[in-house]
Structure formats: C-alpha cells, structure tokens
Amino acid sequence: MEKNGNNRKLRVCVATCNRADYSKLAPIMFGIKAEPQFFELDVVVLGSHLIDDYGNTYRMIEQDDFDINTRLHTIVRGEDEAAMVESVGLALVKLPDVLNRLKPDIMIVHGDRFDALAVATSAALMNIRILHIEGGEVSGTIDDSIRHAITKLAHYHVCCTRNAEQHLISMCEDHDRILLAGCPSYDKLLSAKNKDYMSIIRMWLGDDVKPKDYIVALQHPVTTDIKHSIKMFELTLDALISFNKRTLILFPNIDAGSKEMVRVMRKKGVEHHPNFRAVKHVPFDQFIQLVAHAGCMIGNSSCGVREVGAFGTPVINLGTRQIGRETGENVLHVRDADTQDKILQALHLQFGKQYPCSKIYGDGNAVPRILKFLKSIDLQEPLQKKFCFPPVKENISKDIDHILETQSALAVDLGGTNLRVAIVSMKGEVVKKNTQSNPKTYEERIKLILQMCVEAAAEAVKLNCRILGVGISTGGRVNPREGIVLHSTKLIQEWSSVDLRTPISDTLHLPVWVDNDGNCAALAERKFGQGKGLENFVTLITGTEDLLLVEGMSMKKEETVSAHHLIQAAKLGNAKAASILRTAGTALGLGVVNILHTMNPSLVILSGVLASHYINIVKDVIRQQALFSVQTVDVVVSDLVDPALLGAASMVLDYTTRRVQ
C-alpha cells in the first residue's frame, strides 16, 4: 500500500442506486476489482435498480460479473415528493445494519440522487469515510442541493472539471482532498465509437434505420416544477411526432412526476406509434453506441450535456434541469417553450449535424487517477472533517462588550441653527456625525432630514453598527407618544404640528422616538453622564440667546449672534456682555432655588454652552437664597459633549434593549 496507514487491503464499498450512476461507478469498480492486492470490493445495490418498471437494472451489474453483496429495496412507490422523502427514510432505516456488517474503510457515492444522500448520511453518522464522485457541478432542480449536501458530508472528492474543482474549493473543502480526475465514464466513451454499432442500432430501432437518421430522447421530471416539466414533455412529444424521424425514447427516472410523464407517453400513443421505440432501459455499452451515431439527442438528462459531448452528437437540452452545467458547442438549449414550434425548430437546426469531440468532462484517464488517490488515503488520519474557510479578521463577536458596542442608534438633533445626525453606540460613543445648516422651510427641512438619515444608515453598515431605531431631539413642545412636534421655538420656522415619526419610519423601516431637547438632555445624563445611577436629578439647558451685538465681538458679516459670541464678548472685557451673563446667571440661580424647594433633587446638572459661565453665579444664589436644608445639593456642569444627540440615542437604546440604567 502507498499510504493508507497500515498493511492490509483497503475495503471499499460502492453503493449504486440507478442505471445512470452505475455508468460512472462501473469503470471504478472494474479498476478496483483488477487490483485485488490493494483492494477489497463490496457492492451495495439499492434504489430503482431493483424495480421492474425501471428495467431491473441490477442485472447489468451481475452481467458485468460483480458480486452484489447487498440488495436493499428502498423505493417507496408513488413517484411524488412524499415518496422521495419516504424512500430516503426507508434507506436510512436499512443501511445501518449493512454498514455494520461490511465495515468498509471507504464508501464511494456518486452524484446528486436522493438515494445517494441517504447512503452518504448513513456513512457519515457511522464514522465511515466517504469519497464523493462528481461533486462541485451545477445543474437545476433539487439535485443541486442534494449534490452539495453530499459534498458537505464527504471526506474526499473526485470532480470532473476545473470549474467543479474551483466550486468545491469555494465551498471550503480541503484542496488536498480534492482530485480533478475527469468523469470515469469517459474512460469508456472515448474508445467506444469505433466498435460495431450497426447490429445495436438495428436491434433497438429496426433494420431500416441508418446511422445519423434517428433520435434518442430521454426526459426526466423537474422536481422543483413538476407541472411545467410535464407540459414541456408534452410539447417535446408533439414536436417529435411532427418531425417524423425514428426515435428511441427511454422512460423517465423515478423522480416525483415520472408517473405523470408516463401517462403523457401513453396518452400520445408513443408506445404504439410506428416512429417510436419506447424502452425502460438500454445497457450502457449499447446506449453509448446509440447516442454516438444518432442524428440528435433530445431531453434533459445529464447524459446529453456530459457524456454525449464525447462523440460530438448534436443535443437539444430542454428546460431548466441542467441549467448551469458546462456544455460543449454540440448542445443547443431550449430553456422554455409555449408551443411545439420552438422545439421543432431546434430539431431542424440540430438534426444530422456533427460537432467536434468535447473533452470538458474527461480525457479518458480518470480511473487510474482515482485508484492512485484511493491508495494515498491515510486511514490513520483523524476522521473528523475539516473545512478550509477563507481567512477573516479576528472574531470577537462572542465578546458581550463588542456585541453591545455594535448595537447603535441613529440620533437626530433639530437645533435652531444646525441639523445634526449621528450614529451613537451603546456606550455613548458618537461613531459618526454629520452637521448641516437647518433649512428655513418645512419641505426643505424634511427632505434634508430624510436624506441625512438614509446616508447615516448606509454608513452604519460599513462601520459594522446595527441601527436599532431613530431618536429625535427637537426644541419646543412635543407629543412623544405620537412622535409629533406640537409647536417649536421661534428659531425653527414652519415647525408646528409636524409628524416626524411617520416619514422617517417609512423610509428607514425602523422605530422612531421624538422628544423635547430638554428631556433628551436629561435622558443623556441618566444613561451616559453625571445622573447615571441616581434616582432623581434635574437637568437645565443653557443654550442660544436672543440676538445681541456688542463691542469687541469677532463675527462674520450676516452671522447670527449666539451664546458663543456673548461669551467671547465678555472675555474680551465687554461690560454689557458680562452684565447680561450675570443677570441671566442670577435668574437661573433663582430658578434652581425654586426647583430645590419644590422637587428636592439629589443633583442639579447645568448643560449647554453657557453652563460653565453660570455655575459659580448659581451656587452663590443658592448659598444666599436657598433654605439651609437644600444648600448641600450639588450643582455640576455636564461633561457630555453632545447631550441632545446622546439623549435622542438613549430613547432608542433603552427601549429596544430593555436596559434601564
């Protein structure tokens, strides 16, 4: 042995379910049988092989002189979706005893059939290594899903094309366990055409039929769209009848919908029509000769788009069953048809042509490669399958702090001068902020708000922030329950009875909260600021003042005078500005005293641009005017940079995560 980890023979079990997979598995089985010094072969036969209506095709395995170790009757008749499921279940019930008895080192499974899925599932659950033939290919119907499911169960892969190999790698399969061998059937196909064929043609189609003057038809139901595939089959038969050429037509496989297709054949009188020869099964060696010398093959069998390319025989591929398959130039696709005319035109275009031989699916040397691959399997390697996932950034998603940080809110602050939209994280970090001048008219303002929110939501995706909702802070009176601004300050013009919740929620498909900017500032302090953990406190906002122009102020032409300018003027020694600050600070202090007397808070937080200039004046007023019992209540300046935005965000974060702090 080359590398199987011990000196004994490799025990290989081949499971074959139908005539189609046997044509691919037989060359491998012959190769294994020819090297008894390396291999022991067990053959398990199940599925439609054992059903008379489908030709009792297990007999061709016996005719090839293989000992069938086990016959499993696994098909539940009915030929509908439920019967397919029940057949898988029956196979799963019967296979464990067989595998326990045989104890194979390797189970070889082919393709994309539901029977094969049962075999692969059983072997995987019983810790038997699986070699999957023909993985990575793409076609239509449920077969695609079954094929890829078997790929995920399999430990080793033999693929037929370069594209299939790349698909397996993309599916995170270990490149070292993938063999690009080509299709095993091509080992026989590429050397078959020159053998005697006239006797075979006469046997199946009649003595009067010449090469290139007959059609081979093979069409199966499409399990994901049975009704449409039956309609296509009716149109195919109508077209073949009209085309008036001798036709060998094979009965469909056992998939759901096959009974209906057989009924269509009988309704059209195909079995008794002089131009048709309807058969359940043709031995593979003879079938090769028939398609190699046909004037055309028509239907939706994988044989048409794969094996027939070896002979350059023209093919008409009908419907979606093989969509995605790699094909040679000999294949003409008719994806859909409402009448027989389109199929009839395709027959006129294709019939009798000869195309170059296609080697997309193999070069005739697949079996030697597969046998060498089998010998290289090290049975001492761990059985546990590993997937080769592409490199990714370090995964910290299981860190609870990371999860909380990525949960974010979209915060909107409608100020008298500016409109601000920010992405705020669970911890109060302003991840991204955009500021625009607040338009003067209602229409422009709504349009800008929506635009900025949409842009911020898109930016959040790039920043790996999951937006939980939108919080809006605005001046004036608000109905938070309805999300309506009842009446705004005079600084925000045309802003009364405005429904903010509906347009934003409809645009972003997110919940929306709206509240007054003062309340939002208090919410921000409770969640992120100095009010965190306190049962009761008061937040007072000190913001924009009335317009005031004083000497010593540095400002641009036409710029609105704000609180910032007032502070600047006072610092420059402007007596009028300093007087205004003292007067306002004293008035604020008296207001705080009244609050202390009536509400008895444990803390007073001054927020806004003027807070640091008022703090000492307010404390002086409290010492002079307040009752002794409340003079110890602390008054502090907020240390939050964006209390309005943070408060707007806190409405979202507290509610959507049910976290109250």
Side-chain angles (χ1 to χ4, degrees):
M1 298 296 290
E2 295 185 16
K3 192 192 165 185
N4 71 4
N6 52 46
N7 295 320
R8 66 177 177 82
K9 297 177 183 180
L10 192 71
R11 189 162 190 142
V12 180
C13 180
V14 176
T16 174
C17 310
N18 54 62
R19 66 190 181 198
D21 76 20
Y22 181 66
S23 69
K24 319 293 177 62
L25 294 170
I28 303 173
M29 294 162 64
F30 279 115
I32 291 172
K33 188 176 179 180
E35 298 194 27
Q37 70 275 28
F38 291 114
F39 304 106
E40 290 182 15
L41 175 64
D42 291 314
V43 180
V44 174
V45 173
L46 65 158
S48 60
H49 271 310
L50 301 169
I51 297 179
D52 182 64
D53 285 351
Y54 294 91
N56 282 325
T57 50
Y58 73 91
R59 292 182 183 135
M60 65 184 179
I61 304 173
E62 294 177 330
Q63 291 167 2
D64 285 338
D65 200 26
F66 288 112
D67 294 327
I68 298 177
N69 183 279
T70 304
R71 293 176 175 84
L72 287 180
H73 292 272
T74 58
I75 296 299
V76 176
R77 299 304 300 271
E79 283 77 12
D80 59 11
E81 295 96 329
M84 291 168 64
V85 177
E86 291 168 352
S87 297
V88 171
L90 184 58
L92 289 172
V93 169
K94 292 187 173 185
L95 279 164
D97 286 343
V98 175
L99 298 181
N100 269 330
R101 175 167 49 84
L102 297 179
K103 292 183 168 42
D105 298 314
I106 301 290
M107 171 65 75
I108 297 182
V109 180
H110 169 271
D112 52 18
R113 307 296 300 146
F114 59 85
D115 324 75
L117 178 61
V119 173
T121 302
S122 300
L125 291 173
M126 296 183 70
N127 291 325
I128 296 170
R129 298 168 193 266
I130 302 166
L131 176 69
H132 184 209
I133 308 292
E134 213 172 288
E137 295 186 21
V138 177
S139 63
T141 79
I142 193 64
D143 294 354
D144 257 350
S145 298
I146 293 176
R147 182 189 305 107
H148 300 329
I150 296 173
T151 289
K152 292 292 101 182
L153 293 168
H155 303 82
Y156 307 96
H157 312 275
V158 172
C159 56
C160 303
T161 70
R162 182 70 64 182
N163 281 354
E165 178 187 37
Q166 291 304 311
H167 292 157
L168 289 172
I169 294 170
S170 298
M171 292 165 70
C172 304
E173 296 300 316
D174 187 347
H175 198 175
D176 291 338
R177 295 192 171 195
I178 300 172
L179 172 67
L180 174 56
C183 184
S185 64
Y186 265 64
D187 289 24
K188 181 177 288 188
L189 295 173
L190 294 177
S191 61
K193 190 173 181 180
N194 295 326
K195 295 180 180 179
D196 175 50
Y197 56 87
M198 282 307 303
S199 61
I200 296 172
I201 294 174
R202 293 190 188 104
M203 178 173 62
W204 290 99
L205 288 150
D207 293 337
D208 59 334
V209 177
K210 298 177 181 179
K212 295 296 180 182
D213 198 35
Y214 63 89
I215 296 169
V216 176
L218 178 53
Q219 200 157 339
H220 302 302
V222 178
T223 55
T224 49
D225 195 353
I226 295 173
K227 184 177 179 180
H228 184 261
S229 67
I230 292 169
K231 178 63 176 176
M232 282 283 284
F233 187 50
E234 289 187 67
L235 296 175
T236 302
L237 294 180
D238 289 339
L240 288 169
I241 292 169
S242 298
F243 196 64
N244 199 30
K245 287 290 182 182
R246 191 67 55 83
T247 300
L248 179 70
I249 182 166
L250 280 80
F251 279 70
N253 66 17
I254 201 167
D255 280 350
S258 61
K259 281 198 306 186
E260 289 85 348
M261 293 183 76
V262 172
R263 289 193 192 102
V264 170
M265 290 175 66
R266 287 170 179 159
K267 177 183 174 183
K268 301 284 185 184
V270 166
E271 291 172 291
H272 305 290
H273 194 285
N275 271 350
F276 285 87
R277 300 293 185 270
V279 299
K280 295 176 180 178
H281 168 66
V282 178
F284 185 64
D285 286 348
Q286 297 176 29
F287 185 72
I288 289 174
Q289 299 301 328
L290 290 168
V291 295
H293 298 90
C296 179
M297 182 175 181
I298 187 169
N300 62 6
S301 168
S302 62
C303 175
V305 298
R306 300 176 91 260
E307 279 79 8
V308 178
F311 310 118
T313 301
V315 172
I316 299 171
N317 178 46
L318 300 172
T320 60
R321 191 171 186 268
Q322 303 300 334
I323 194 167
R325 289 272 194 193
E326 299 172 71
T327 61
E329 59 180 293
N330 64 310
V331 179
L332 176 65
H333 300 281
V334 180
R335 300 298 188 198
D336 201 0
D338 298 324
T339 67
Q340 60 168 303
D341 293 344
K342 191 182 291 186
I343 300 174
L344 196 56
Q345 289 173 4
L347 283 166
H348 284 293
L349 285 171
Q350 286 286 77
F351 187 79
K353 284 187 176 181
Q354 181 61 47
Y355 290 91
C357 170
S358 168
K359 293 186 178 181
I360 293 174
Y361 287 95
D363 62 1
N365 297 296
V367 172
R369 296 184 183 113
I370 293 170
L371 296 181
K372 184 178 179 181
F373 188 61
L374 282 169
K375 294 172 187 176
S376 73
I377 292 174
D378 185 357
L379 298 179
Q380 303 305 313
E381 286 183 349
L383 180 67
Q384 177 62 50
K385 180 175 177 176
K386 293 182 179 179
F387 299 102
C388 296
F389 296 107
V392 295
K393 294 180 180 179
E394 182 182 358
N395 181 16
I396 58 172
S397 62
K398 290 187 177 179
D399 184 328
I400 188 65
D401 290 331
H402 175 74
I403 293 172
L404 295 178
E405 285 177 2
T406 57
Q407 291 179 320
S408 306
L410 213 57
V412 180
D413 176 28
L414 278 165
T417 305
N418 293 319
L419 172 60
R420 301 186 299 161
V421 176
I423 302 167
V424 181
S425 74
M426 184 65 73
K427 289 189 173 181
E429 174 192 2
V430 178
V431 179
K432 189 83 174 181
K433 180 169 64 176
N434 183 17
T435 302
Q436 299 281 349
S437 296
N438 202 343
K440 300 300 182 185
T441 66
Y442 166 83
E443 291 81 5
E444 291 176 330
R445 190 174 297 122
I446 286 289
K447 181 179 179 181
L448 182 59
I449 291 172
L450 293 176
Q451 176 188 326
M452 292 175 71
C453 286
V454 169
E455 290 173 354
E459 186 69 18
V461 176
K462 299 177 184 177
L463 296 171
N464 197 29
C465 294
R466 184 163 66 91
I467 301 299
L468 303 175
V470 183
I472 303 174
S473 167
T474 180
R477 293 178 57 241
V478 174
N479 179 345
R481 184 179 297 275
E482 303 295 332
I484 295 175
V485 180
L486 299 173
H487 180 72
S488 185
T489 64
K490 63 181 181 181
L491 295 174
I492 307 179
Q493 302 169 17
E494 299 184 21
W495 211 239
S496 298
S497 300
V498 176
D499 179 3
L500 287 177
R501 175 174 294 160
T502 300
I504 295 176
S505 182
D506 288 349
T507 301
L508 298 181
H509 306 291
L510 290 170
V512 177
W513 287 264
V514 184
D515 209 337
N516 169 268
D517 53 4
N519 291 338
C520 285
L523 291 172
E525 294 294 342
R526 184 185 67 177
K527 187 169 184 64
F528 303 115
Q530 300 196 58
K532 194 171 184 178
L534 299 180
E535 290 188 8
N536 56 80
F537 64 91
V538 171
T539 300
L540 299 173
I541 308 298
T542 63
T544 307
E545 301 285 319
D546 290 335
L547 301 185
L548 176 68
L549 186 62
V550 295
E551 292 183 12
M553 297 177 71
S554 173
M555 56 186 301
K556 298 176 183 178
K557 187 178 181 182
E558 298 181 354
E559 184 178 2
T560 302
V561 178
S562 68
H564 289 286
H565 297 113
L566 184 64
I567 295 167
Q568 179 190 8
K571 287 182 177 179
L572 291 172
N574 186 294
K576 190 173 183 180
S579 174
I580 290 173
L581 287 175
R582 282 194 300 273
T583 301
T586 300
L588 180 62
L590 291 172
V592 171
V593 168
N594 290 330
I595 290 171
L596 293 176
H597 289 168
T598 56
M599 301 180 67
N600 193 29
S602 58
L603 178 69
V604 175
I605 303 172
L606 302 184
S607 181
V609 294
L610 293 170
S612 60
H613 297 275
Y614 289 155
I615 183 73
N616 291 328
I617 302 173
V618 169
K619 287 183 175 181
D620 287 342
V621 173
I622 291 173
R623 281 193 296 269
Q624 296 167 12
Q625 303 289 336
L627 296 172
F628 179 77
S629 59
V630 298
Q631 289 185 8
T632 57
V633 174
D634 200 8
V635 180
V636 298
V637 175
S638 172
D639 53 10
L640 299 179
V641 177
D642 289 301
L645 287 174
L646 293 178
S650 72
M651 291 190 290
V652 177
L653 300 174
D654 276 345
Y655 186 84
T656 55
T657 59
R658 300 297 194 275
R659 290 165 53 96
V660 179
Q661 296 181 349

